[in-house]
Amino acid sequence: MKLLIITAIAEFEKEIKKILKNAKVKTFSFKEVTGYRDSTEDALETNWFATEMNENTSILFYAFVSDENVDTLFNSIGEFNKKQESLSHIHVAVTNIERSN
């Protein structure tokens, strides 16, 4: 069993739900969150907001998934990210679960 964590901009919500369904992940949790990006190291001409901390509406998914579903999810998310023309991508991480009850 693995713990899967997915973060992305809110606009990717439908695509993430579709990816989870195709990977046979039937149960997951979802939360709207506020994402922050420190742009103090960006060149001034590329910082449209003229602030140091940019805030955006993001989403967080997490689910307990079986080992065999992890590769399918990572491959699907990788394919989705390759097709994106924007700088924004779906971010995914997985951790081992040592014990659960």
Side-chain angles (χ1 to χ4, degrees):
M1 178 89 32
K2 307 280 187 186
L3 174 60
L4 182 79
I5 302 166
I6 299 172
T7 61
I9 58 174
E11 288 80 3
F12 293 160
E13 179 181 346
K14 289 181 183 178
E15 289 83 358
I16 293 170
K17 288 179 179 177
K18 189 184 305 182
I19 289 169
L20 289 169
K21 182 178 181 179
N22 290 340
K24 298 182 178 28
V25 177
K26 297 180 180 181
T27 305
F28 59 86
S29 297
F30 163 81
K31 177 88 174 135
E32 290 185 7
V33 295
T34 302
Y36 292 92
R37 181 176 181 277
D38 181 359
S39 60
T40 56
E41 295 181 12
D42 291 348
L44 187 59
E45 61 272 5
T46 63
N47 185 352
W48 285 86
F49 300 104
T51 63
E52 293 181 354
M53 278 302 228
N54 295 322
E55 184 178 305
N56 58 44
T57 304
S58 298
I59 51 178
L60 170 71
F61 286 84
Y62 52 96
F64 294 100
V65 298
S66 59
D67 293 350
E68 56 268 6
N69 294 0
V70 172
D71 288 337
T72 302
L73 283 159
F74 268 81
N75 291 337
S76 297
I77 290 171
E79 288 299 315
F80 176 85
N81 286 340
K82 283 181 191 175
K83 296 176 185 174
Q84 293 308 303
E85 295 181 10
S86 69
L87 294 178
S88 202
H89 291 97
I90 297 173
H91 304 280
V92 60
V94 66
T95 63
N96 289 323
I97 301 298
E98 292 182 26
R99 288 177 65 176
S100 67
N101 191 3

